Amino acid sequence: MGSKNRNRSFFRTYFFLFLFCLANAVWAHAKDELKAMSDDLTYIINNKEIFNRQKEQRINSLKKLLEAKDASREYVYEINRQLTDEYKKFKLDSAICYAEKNIEISRALNDSDRRYLTEIKLATLYSYAGRFFESKKILDGMHARELPEKLLPDYYEAYSRFHEHYGAMSNQSKYREVELYRDSLLAVLDTASFAYKINIAHRYLDQRKTIEAQRLLTGLLETEEADTPEYALITHYLGAVAGRLGQRDAEKKYFILSAITDARNSIRENTSYHRLARIYYNSGDISKAFLYAQSAIEDAVSSGVQFRTAQMSEFYSIINASYQLKEAKTNATLKRYLSLISILSVFLILLVLYIYKQMKKLSRVKEELSQTNQKLLELNLELNEANSQLNDKNVELSESNYIKEQYIAQFFDLCSAYIDKMEENRKTLYRLGINRQYEELMKRLKSTSAVDKELDELYMHFDSIFLSLYPTFVADFNALLAAEEQINLKNDDLLNKELRIYALLRLGITDSTKIAGFLRCSMSTVYNYRTKMRNKAAINREAFEDRVMKIGMTNRQNAPDSLS
């Protein structure tokens, strides 16, 4: 009997030990999985431009379809509709532009269904953009009983979104209105549709029916493909469910999945980053909280979603202050450690030198003298090299100061001229407005000819100033190119776009973003021009831009005191 009890006790101990080890293994695996997902999200945030470029390529392919000759109004309407959907949560201003175009097309077609649908979409876009007056005006201008049955879900959804966004922007609770229109929406939706189920899940969450919401969302997740906007929405709601249930790892997991999916689809209107920032901030991980909050505010500003920007602004300032404080403390700690290490290093070096000198002082006096002389020679060489580098830096500094003086003088002249032009343009527009010449006023406001003219004059001034600084730049630049690849300018041109890129590089502006902004082109265009020029070089293509940076250095001391 005693033996049986001992066996049972041993088996029970072994069984509980097994369960404990299994639980630890599962917990460790979950932690590793969560860390891997968090690392993936960090990588995606740091490289989100890759996905944005893919989004822009899809949009550009749609825009090219609008170039078709003899395209019907129905065809243009459909392409504009697709562009509106693509831009909706990417760039609100563009989405609004294409929706407004479709309003005009539907009126021209006298198609009430298309007009109602587009107006409802436009009202929603205005709501996202914080233009509540325009949104409310559109929605109040139509009535549910006048709308086709198929448009009722869009109509009620637009009203629900309006009250949700208005409440977020005005800090007023619009829960009753939102729920009222959600009830109307659920009444007209197909009960088998995704929209119906996700709205039911939302209602469950609002009613604190967490388990029912979890059951419904888990079923939706099993049927939905990953990397779709619907998948991002489901995982977001599941994150909210996990938070309600106190499942912190699951909460992070689902919000991270939602954020990753939104980033891959270039959806900038999302709240998963916001929720993650709060979660990590409350858990004390300020670095991740700052990363997610910064990404959320960047997306909101880039997309033009005003209510998301308003939601994040106050919280972002709190996280930013905490992040800066943490960084300051970390830097202070590093400085203390660095100071201590430096002191110990100096002490050890002195100790080693002292022991070495004592041991070798008598036996290696001559050798030390020889080594000392050799070191003096090396130091002299290093000193000469340092003096040569200092002279080069002085020349570069002198050149930089000279360039600054010339460009500052021209800058004041250009600013004064632009201010005069702006004042004259303001007076002209004012007169048109006073005289109620609205058609002419709109024509002038829409016209870009004045901007194009000012850009041409800006580039002309830039070319003139630059060639005054480096008169031989074009010839010296061509000398670096193969004979058959040299640049031949038109009679009236001082520089072309390729030469302006390298002129900006010669002035020390190496940031491709700034170069692209000045020349009104994309970064890829700047990169392609630079690559093309290096491929045309008559010298080593890796040394090509270094040689361009040295053009005109030998003539700097002969430069004029000022530009005419």
Side-chain angles (χ1 to χ4, degrees), residues 129-345:
R131 296 166 62 176
F132 299 113
F133 177 80
E134 294 96 324
S135 179
K136 188 73 162 56
K137 183 178 179 181
I138 292 174
L139 292 173
D140 288 347
M142 58 181 73
H143 302 284
R145 62 179 176 275
E146 299 174 354
L147 296 174
E149 186 176 348
K150 64 182 180 181
L151 296 183
L152 289 177
D154 297 308
Y155 173 74
Y156 291 128
E157 175 73 14
Y159 249 122
S160 178
R161 291 291 184 187
F162 169 81
H163 288 293
E164 179 185 351
H165 300 165
Y166 182 75
M169 286 288 289
S170 61
N171 292 321
Q172 299 178 15
S173 175
K174 293 292 180 179
Y175 177 79
R176 183 175 177 276
E177 290 85 350
V178 172
E179 282 303 299
L180 179 65
Y181 282 102
R182 181 174 288 123
D183 289 343
S184 299
L185 174 63
L186 289 170
V188 297
L189 282 172
D190 180 1
T191 56
S193 67
F194 175 83
Y196 179 85
K197 293 177 181 178
I198 204 69
N199 276 281
I200 287 293
H202 196 154
R203 169 179 283 181
Y204 283 157
L205 284 172
D206 289 343
Q207 295 174 348
R208 298 287 174 176
K209 295 180 180 180
T210 309
I211 300 302
E212 290 86 340
Q214 184 183 43
R215 187 181 301 113
L216 176 58
L217 291 166
T218 302
L220 282 175
L221 188 67
E222 292 174 354
T223 60
E224 188 61 46
E225 293 184 6
D227 289 339
T228 62
E230 291 77 13
Y231 183 86
L233 190 59
I234 295 167
T235 50
H236 175 80
Y237 280 124
L238 280 171
V241 167
R244 291 267 184 90
L245 297 175
Q247 300 168 354
R248 299 307 168 200
D249 286 348
E251 181 183 23
K252 292 178 182 178
K253 170 187 172 182
Y254 284 121
F255 281 132
I256 288 173
L257 282 173
S258 178
I260 288 174
T261 306
D262 281 336
R264 286 177 174 168
N265 287 285
S266 294
I267 294 176
R268 290 169 168 170
E269 192 287 301
N270 64 76
T271 188
S272 294
Y273 285 132
H274 186 184
R275 298 293 293 268
L276 284 170
R278 287 188 176 277
I279 291 168
Y280 280 96
Y281 178 78
N282 293 332
S283 65
D285 193 339
I286 304 299
S287 296
K288 282 193 179 298
F290 178 77
L291 175 66
Y292 298 142
Q294 187 178 46
S295 183
I297 202 76
E298 285 176 355
D299 282 354
V301 171
S302 298
S303 63
V305 181
Q306 294 298 319
F307 82 98
R308 289 289 182 219
T309 305
Q311 283 180 331
M312 282 301 301
S313 296
E314 183 178 356
F315 182 60
Y316 177 74
S317 63
I318 295 172
I319 290 182
N320 186 46
S322 300
Y323 181 77
Q324 297 300 330
L325 179 62
K326 178 190 174 186
E327 288 295 298
K329 290 181 179 179
T330 302
N331 290 335
T333 302
L334 289 175
K335 287 179 181 178
R336 287 197 296 270
Y337 283 135
L338 183 60
S339 299
L340 179 60
I341 292 171
S342 299
I343 293 171
L344 290 174
S345 299

Side-chain angles (χ1 to χ4, degrees), residues 48-63:
K48 65 172 65 173
E49 284 305 313
I50 296 174
F51 303 102
N52 291 341
R53 283 196 295 271
Q54 293 173 356
K55 178 84 167 180
E56 288 169 352
Q57 288 172 1
R58 293 196 300 272
I59 290 172
N60 289 335
S61 65
L62 283 173
K63 288 181 178 178

Side-chain angles (χ1 to χ4, degrees), residues 14-163:
Y14 179 81
F15 179 72
F16 283 121
L17 180 62
F18 172 76
L19 289 179
F20 176 76
C21 292
L22 181 61
N24 277 341
V26 171
W27 181 82
H29 175 72
K31 287 291 182 184
D32 291 342
E33 181 186 23
L34 186 61
K35 183 181 182 306
M37 292 172 61
S38 177
D39 292 342
D40 286 344
L41 180 56
T42 301
Y43 173 81
I44 288 173
I45 290 173
N46 294 331
N47 295 274
K48 65 172 65 173
E49 284 305 313
I50 296 174
F51 303 102
N52 291 341
R53 283 196 295 271
Q54 293 173 356
K55 178 84 167 180
E56 288 169 352
Q57 288 172 1
R58 293 196 300 272
I59 290 172
N60 289 335
S61 65
L62 283 173
K63 288 181 178 178
K64 288 181 180 179
L65 296 177
L66 293 174
E67 299 172 3
K69 295 181 180 179
D70 301 326
S72 65
R73 287 174 177 171
E74 291 83 354
Y75 174 83
V76 175
Y77 177 92
E78 178 59 25
I79 300 303
N80 286 347
R81 184 193 63 76
Q82 294 180 40
L83 285 168
T84 301
D85 292 341
E86 287 287 345
Y87 272 125
K88 179 178 179 181
K89 295 188 177 182
F90 186 62
K91 288 182 181 178
L92 266 180
D93 289 344
S94 298
I96 289 171
C97 176
Y98 284 103
E100 288 173 343
K101 289 179 180 179
N102 269 359
I103 294 289
E104 297 300 323
I105 293 174
S106 61
R107 286 174 178 167
L109 291 171
N110 197 24
D111 188 330
S112 59
D113 284 2
R114 283 194 172 102
R115 179 170 61 83
Y116 282 137
L117 176 60
T118 308
E119 286 179 345
I120 291 170
K121 285 190 175 183
L122 185 58
T124 301
L125 294 173
Y126 281 153
S127 173
Y128 274 107
R131 296 166 62 176
F132 299 113
F133 177 80
E134 294 96 324
S135 179
K136 188 73 162 56
K137 183 178 179 181
I138 292 174
L139 292 173
D140 288 347
M142 58 181 73
H143 302 284
R145 62 179 176 275
E146 299 174 354
L147 296 174
E149 186 176 348
K150 64 182 180 181
L151 296 183
L152 289 177
D154 297 308
Y155 173 74
Y156 291 128
E157 175 73 14
Y159 249 122
S160 178
R161 291 291 184 187
F162 169 81
H163 288 293

